Amino acid sequence: GTGLLGEEICRQLNARDIDFVATSTNGRGSTVCLDLTEPTASEKIRSLCKAEHFTSIISTVGSIGTSDDEKVNSACGVAIIAARNSKNVSRFVSIGNPDRVRDFARNIGPLSGYVAGKESSEQILEDIFGDDGCVIRPTFIYGGTEFGLTPPRVTSSVGNVVKMALSLEPFPTLSQILPGPLGIALEAPTSVEDVAAASINSALGLPGLEDKVSIEGGREIAMAASKRPRSPGVLKSIEVSTKNDPTAAVKRRDGLKRSLVKAAVTNLDIGSNEEKAYATAEEIMEEFEPLRPKARPSSDGSMNAKWAFVFTGKPSVGMKLLSTLSSLSKMLTFLIDFEDTFLEIGDEQSTVRVVIAMKLLGIPVELVMLSKLLPDRECKHGTMMSEKMEGISFAGIQVPVPEILQSPRTMEITYIDEDMCRTTLPLT
């Protein structure tokens, strides 16, 4: 609970009003002293689990660039075994990295101990917790206000710029095709906020994450981070208010839609308090989504329509870029003028057509992206879908689809009715 990621996890747990106990090797601050390399570590963990009634554990234990790397990183296995023996803990989450990072680091002498320790503890996690254990695997984490070398860290301000740059083609494609360190270096980094949120949501076993044993790379981590728990208080309030009045749910949805429009308008104000606006929109959706009239959105025919984009949540890199370009075009209308952006779903919600209409030097042109859409049959909630891009054209000319965009991506349809459709997409 004292490193960059550990502190961010604690901050988010506090913000979400979730009870927790944080530990550190020396017990500094408000943390409990727990050194996993000590002989008494297993006994201390069992005692803590029993006294505090832990249901989940997130381990951010790690060491890199020291002579004790293997000892420290493998010591997470002690916590895993002790947690399972305590009987209370049902989920265990640890932090790792993608296979290609491991493959590269394994052959570098000073990093071999780090790799051996991580692989040892992760094998124990798989053997003991099975589907109830999960490893979050970012390539490179950025955040905070300070730079670091062991492990390497850049600040939030620098990381955001690097992430935005490396999220644009051709960097994602090059990252996938270039070998070893070259490909790793060109992969967009992941924010500490996303890694922390994904870790917490996995530990809570939120829908879609309850049996996921590995969350790898920026897109998957961002998707996991975007999951939101249903507030028991909100659900109870909805149940009571709609129980005796068949029209109550309709009235409440209409009122919430008006509030959501206000939140969307607020988010368009560059000078507004963005974090407050995002939080307002999320609070509205927390109450909104349980009122959805369609039980299984991913297979509902209401999706077959032309949809306008209304942005209410925290922006993805793509949305930020589109917003920035739109703002710039207002100053350079003689060069480029964005006119409309919309999405069409058809063929029994199996095809997607995204159109960005604009004028270049006064000439109307369209950027069109075509995708295939399939419901996730294994999703018991009927909200998850898989999207795969199949074609791009600009001004009627076919453009090759970059390899990175050819891979299917997951999206979640959390609400749909005749007026609106709410989707959650990876932030990268």
Side-chain angles (χ1 to χ4, degrees):
T2 53
L4 174 70
L5 179 57
E7 288 183 346
E8 177 60 23
I9 289 173
C10 292
R11 186 192 70 78
Q12 291 191 24
L13 288 169
N14 275 320
R16 292 163 70 165
D17 199 24
I18 297 174
D19 292 334
F20 69 96
V21 172
T23 68
S24 67
T25 54
N26 54 17
R28 63 184 180 274
S30 59
T31 62
V32 173
C33 182
L34 176 64
D35 186 343
L36 293 181
T37 62
E38 293 292 327
T40 58
S42 183
E43 181 182 342
K44 284 185 177 181
I45 292 170
R46 287 196 298 271
S47 297
L48 277 171
C49 289
K50 183 177 180 180
E52 302 292 343
H53 304 288
F54 294 154
T55 56
S56 302
I57 290 178
I58 302 173
S59 172
T60 61
V61 172
S63 170
I64 187 168
T66 75
S67 59
D68 291 328
D69 284 354
E70 184 171 359
K71 179 181 180 181
V72 172
N73 290 305
S74 62
C76 182
V78 174
I80 294 167
I81 296 171
R84 182 53 96 189
N85 290 338
S86 73
K87 308 299 183 184
N88 296 331
V89 178
S90 59
R91 293 190 61 79
F92 197 107
V93 178
S94 69
I95 310 300
N97 33 52
D99 287 340
R100 70 172 183 166
V101 174
R102 294 275 174 88
D103 293 341
F104 166 66
R106 187 178 288 108
N107 299 317
I108 298 178
L111 299 179
S112 59
Y114 168 83
V115 173
K118 283 290 186 180
E119 290 182 336
S120 172
S121 61
E122 287 171 12
Q123 186 60 57
I124 294 173
L125 178 61
E126 180 182 346
D127 293 342
I128 292 182
F129 272 86
D131 289 347
D132 295 323
C134 181
V135 183
I136 313 294
R137 302 181 185 276
T139 297
F140 182 86
I141 302 175
Y142 71 89
T145 58
E146 298 180 357
F147 291 90
L149 292 177
T150 53
R153 291 280 185 267
V154 298
T155 63
S156 291
S157 56
V158 173
N160 283 327
V161 173
V162 173
K163 179 178 180 178
M164 181 172 289
L166 293 182
S167 294
L168 302 176
E169 289 294 347
F171 296 114
T173 300
L174 291 173
S175 174
Q176 294 298 311
I177 63 177
L178 290 176
L182 295 176
I184 294 170
L186 292 178
E187 185 170 339
T190 306
S191 71
V192 68
E193 291 84 3
D194 275 357
V195 178
S199 302
I200 294 170
N201 289 344
S202 178
L204 294 174
L206 297 189
L209 302 178
E210 61 267 50
D211 56 0
K212 202 166 182 63
V213 298
S214 178
I215 300 174
E216 181 171 329
R219 286 186 180 276
E220 284 196 12
I221 291 172
M223 178 62 79
S226 70
K227 299 284 185 182
R228 297 181 307 284
R230 297 288 180 257
S231 167
V234 169
L235 295 178
K236 185 66 177 176
S237 171
I238 292 171
E239 178 185 349
V240 171
S241 65
T242 60
K243 185 175 182 180
N244 300 317
D245 183 357
T247 65
V250 176
K251 293 176 181 176
R252 193 154 190 172
R253 282 197 296 267
D254 288 343
L256 289 170
K257 285 178 183 178
R258 288 191 289 271
S259 298
L260 203 57
V261 169
K262 291 180 181 178
V265 171
T266 301
N267 280 354
L268 292 175
D269 180 4
I270 301 299
S272 68
N273 185 329
E274 290 187 349
E275 291 299 327
K276 184 177 180 180
Y278 304 150
T280 299
E282 293 304 324
E283 288 172 4
I284 295 170
M285 289 310 303
E286 183 178 351
E287 187 172 355
F288 212 137
E289 289 170 358
L291 287 167
R292 69 180 185 226
K294 313 293 184 180
R296 300 182 65 81
S298 66
S299 57
D300 193 273
S302 300
M303 288 184 64
N304 296 285
K306 178 178 177 180
W307 300 94
F309 288 101
V310 179
F311 166 62
T312 58
K314 190 170 183 178
S316 66
V317 171
M319 287 297 291
K320 277 187 174 180
L321 178 63
L322 188 59
S323 177
T324 301
L325 290 175
S326 181
S327 298
L328 289 174
S329 74
K330 294 177 182 178
M331 298 181 288
L332 303 169
T333 52
F334 66 92
L335 179 63
I336 182 171
D337 183 13
F338 286 94
E339 295 188 319
D340 193 12
T341 303
F342 60 88
L343 178 149
E344 290 179 322
I345 299 177
D347 296 332
E348 297 183 350
Q349 61 272 6
S350 66
T351 61
V352 178
R353 182 172 178 263
V354 177
V355 179
I356 301 176
M358 66 189 83
K359 285 184 178 180
L360 288 177
L361 298 174
I363 302 172
V365 295
E366 289 185 343
L367 173 64
V368 180
M369 292 165 279
L370 301 175
S371 301
K372 277 290 186 183
L373 201 59
L374 292 172
D376 184 348
R377 303 298 182 187
E378 296 181 0
C379 176
K380 60 184 179 181
H381 305 285
T383 59
M384 304 302 294
M385 303 195 80
S386 175
E387 181 188 17
K388 183 179 181 181
M389 186 171 291
E390 295 199 330
I392 301 175
S393 66
F394 182 72
I397 302 172
Q398 293 298 313
V399 178
V401 179
E403 183 178 349
I404 187 65
L405 297 180
Q406 294 177 18
S407 300
R409 67 171 182 171
T410 301
M411 70 176 182
E412 184 176 14
I413 313 296
T414 58
Y415 181 91
I416 189 169
D417 63 18
E418 290 72 18
D419 299 322
M420 62 175 281
C421 178
R422 162 82 169 186
T423 64
T424 301
L425 294 168
L427 299 181
T428 54

